[in-house]
């Protein structure tokens, strides 16, 4: 075995370490530092160290708590729908007896390749009350048109649907890989024993797919929880604050009002929420396994 | 190699990374006048110009090569949306790097820029360094210049001057023998009539999105009722009786006779209802004249009437937006930047803006009073708009605007509540009481009380 010299080893990792230092370690350190300071970018000379005051202020801020709740709701609903629809699509794509599946396996990736900002802009037109295609279809089938972006109930749900449209292919592809890697024997044995569709799904496929579902849920949750682009373009958090998630509120505080310290504290909370929920989910999955 | 050797390797790599970011293609030629032609005195300089997107920059983007040819100065344009433009400039201004020589400054950010010393006073340049062909101070409306003034000094050249105007579908009004609205009461009375007469149309459109960019509509409407959000002592009056009456009227208009998605409409989306021929009336800015009369952008060109509406207090409704070009106080190329500003405001450039790009609300009195402008307006059949424009500018009263650096936070807080009221989540008095409490809190934190 070739033994690498220490010099070569350190020289080889130095560029990667420097990049990590510049892009991850240092910014994280700065965010943590700012979160303990009352710091406004437009008044840098008036900053002061306030320990955890910004965190206390955030949890006392009604709008922050509301935005946190909206983020959780958005992420959970989006992940759930993505998973259910993604699984149905994966089952369809798996069938060899249907023609053109190769084509659909490629085409289904298209939504994922589009920038979220563009998805938001396209859906904004699609949801338009007066000339959007969605309301046109609703009207043609004889139903009452829906002010998707102007109604406090619909605004967030309309954004969830746009997110589901974009990311269901991801779930479908990952679950398809899981389904294809699944051993045939348990399925064949279940068929011989006369197990029905739901019984096979719950008792055989789901337990076997659990690790794949785990990864999908984890990645999608982290992504959906910090969703900004589509939501901002679609609703800007409105009407009122009905669809204002934590990402939008943090953006407003940090980059519109330049309350850098407060924005940093809320960003850290966001990071912790993702971390805690992800850890909890991973542990729960392991326990169930 | 031992630990010391490793440290050297790391140090060299780190230095290389740091030094790579230090290079700057531009060089300061300040004061190095190499030729006798004053316009070519800064030849070889590179100017970094930060612009906010909008129709007022089209002329810069299209004809900047002419400036480069005339001066030998290279211009690097960077164009962003408004929040990004501000973020970029604030990062540059607070670090005093002078990465941008010229910046666009919206009037609502001006107090913040001026108080922090981020923009250069232009009075000395105007008095002593004017290019006789490019700069004529008398061409620039004094009121617009004064918007960007503080403590007796002027800081920006206004290339966007926008005030409030109500637009309506002339053809629909003529069809039903209706008189154009003169007062807010007229608009309130016309909306139900129009709903009855034209059931497939939207009687009135307007902004309702929950952000500060919509606030101008509401405060401008309320100004007509005698309401003012912040008084001279920076005291908030979001729930004064006049404000409650004004906002109730406007919210009811949008709720009952406006687009169903009104609580989410921003400047573009609200105006689209007019451009596409769906809406009959709109109270917004004079800026819409150029768009609505452009057949490439509008289905209703030639069918629009314009009017200035007054409120119950006898005051005209307001919607002010001004944007100027300012020189970064940390710039190393201030004289070259001043040349650029003069070229932008020149008769020559502004005339091209009118004749080649079709912009009707050009910020130059010489061009506005020229035979070319008159001919252009007659040819395009927009004399109704062009004749009303100077009057609308004259009626603009900056006092209606909460002219404090915290206006964005105030505007977002105000509009979040009003937008929820349009959506029917709460009534207007409740919304304004909540807005008042939030604004008091914002001002207190900013140190006003």
């Amino acid at each position: 075995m070739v033994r690498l010299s220490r010099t070569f080893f350190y020289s080889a990792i130095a560029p990667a370490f420097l990049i990590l230092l510049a892009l991850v370690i240092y910014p994280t350190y700065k965010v943590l530092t700012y979160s303990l300071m009352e710091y406004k970018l437009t008044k840098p000379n008036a900053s002061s160290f306030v320990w955890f005051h910004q965190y206390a202020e955030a949890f006392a801020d009604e709008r922050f708590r509301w935005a946190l709740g909206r983020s959780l709701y958005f992420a959970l609903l989006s992940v759930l729908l993505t998973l259910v629809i993604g699984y149905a699509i994966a089952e369809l794509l798996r069938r060899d007896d249907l023609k053109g599946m190769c084509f659909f396996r490629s085409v289904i990736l298209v939504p994922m390749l589009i920038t979220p900002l563009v998805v938001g802009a396209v859906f904004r037109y699609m949801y338009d009350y007066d000339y959007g295609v969605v309301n046109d279809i609703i009207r043609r089938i004889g139903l009452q048109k829906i002010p998707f972006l102007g109604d406090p109930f619909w605004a967030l749900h309309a954004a969830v649907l746009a997110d589901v449209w974009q990311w269901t292919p991801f779930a479908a592809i990952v679950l398809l890989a899981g389904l294809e890697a699944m051993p045939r024997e348990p399925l064949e044995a279940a068929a011989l024993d006369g197990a029905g569709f739901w019984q096979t799904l719950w008792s055989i496929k789901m337990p076997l797919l659990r690790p794949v579902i785990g990864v999908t849920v984890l990645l999608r949750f982290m992504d959906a929880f910090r969703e900004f682009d589509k939501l901002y373009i679609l609703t800007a958090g409105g009407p009122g604050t009905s669809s204002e998630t934590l990402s939008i509120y943090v953006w407003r505080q940090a980059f519109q009002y330049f309350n850098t310290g407060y924005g940093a504290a809320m960003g850290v909370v966001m990071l912790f929420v993702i971390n805690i929920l992800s850890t909890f989910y991973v542990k729960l999955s392991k326990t169930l396994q | 190699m031992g630990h010391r050797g490793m440290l050297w390797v790391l140090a060299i790599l780190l230095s290389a990374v740091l030094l790579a970011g230090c290079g700057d293609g531009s060089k300061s030629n300040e004061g190095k006048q190499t030729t006798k032609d004053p316009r070519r005195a800064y030849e070889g300089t590179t100017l970094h110009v930060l612009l906010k997107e909008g129709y007022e920059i089209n002329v810069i983007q299209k004809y900047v090569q002419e400036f480069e040819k005339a001066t030998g100065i290279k211009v690097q344009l960077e164009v962003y949306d408004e929040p990004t433009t501000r973020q970029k400039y604030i990062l540059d201004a607070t670090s005093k790097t002078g990465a941008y020589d010229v910046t666009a400054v919206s009037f609502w950010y001006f107090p913040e820029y001026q108080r922090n010393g981020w923009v250069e006073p232009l009075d000395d340049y105007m008095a002593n360094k004017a290019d006789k062909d490019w700069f004529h101070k008398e061409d620039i409306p004094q009121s617009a210049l004064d918007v960007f003034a503080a403590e007796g000094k002027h800081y920006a050249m206004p290339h966007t001057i926008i005030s409030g105007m109500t637009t309506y579908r002339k053809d629909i009004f003529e069809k039903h023998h209706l008189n154009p609205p003169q007062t807010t009461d007229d608009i309130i009375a016309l909306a139900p009539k129009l709903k009855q007469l034209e059931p497939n149309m939207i009687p009135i459109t307007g902004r309702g999105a929950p952000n500060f960019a919509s606030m101008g509509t509401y405060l401008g409407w309320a100004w007509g009722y005698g309401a003012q959000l912040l008084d001279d002592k920076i005291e908030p009056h979001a729930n004064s009786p006049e404000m409650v009456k004004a906002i109730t009227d406007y919210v009811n208009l949008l709720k009952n006779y406006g687009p169903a998605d009104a609580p989410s409409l921003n400047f573009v989306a609200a105006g689209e209802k007019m451009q596409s021929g769906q809406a009959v009336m709109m109270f917004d800015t004079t800026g819409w004249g150029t768009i609505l009369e452009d057949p490439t952008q509008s289905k209703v060109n030639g069918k629009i009437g314009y009017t200035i509406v007054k409120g119950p207090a006898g005051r005209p409704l307001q919607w002010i937006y001004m944007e100027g070009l300012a020189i970064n106080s940390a710039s190393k190329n201030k004289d070259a930047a001043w040349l650029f500003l003069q070229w932008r405001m020149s008769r020559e450039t502004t005339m091209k803006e009118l004749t080649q790009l079709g912009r009707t609300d050009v910020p130059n009195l010489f061009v506005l009073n020229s035979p070319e402008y008159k001919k252009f307006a007659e040819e395009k059949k927009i004399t109704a708009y062009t004749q009303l424009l100077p009057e609308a500018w004259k009626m603009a009263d900056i006092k209606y605007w909460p002219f404090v650096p915290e206006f964005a936070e105030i505007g977002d807080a105000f509009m979040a509540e009003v937008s929820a009221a349009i959506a029917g989540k709460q009534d207007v008095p409740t919304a304004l009481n909540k807005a008042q409490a939030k604004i008091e809190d914002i001002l207190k934190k900013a140190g006003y009380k």
Side-chain angles (χ1 to χ4, degrees), chain B residues 223-226 309-317:
Chain B
W223 181 256
Y225 286 67
V309 168
K310 288 185 177 178
R315 290 167 166 181
L317 306 187

Side-chain angles (χ1 to χ4, degrees), chain B residues 38 67 184 187 203 247 270 439:
Chain B
F67 171 76
T184 47
I187 293 179
I247 303 300
I439 295 167

Side-chain angles (χ1 to χ4, degrees), chain B residues 1-12:
Chain B
M1 195 187 285
H3 284 292
R4 187 167 293 200
M6 277 315 304
L7 281 174
W8 272 110
V9 171
L10 283 172
I12 290 165

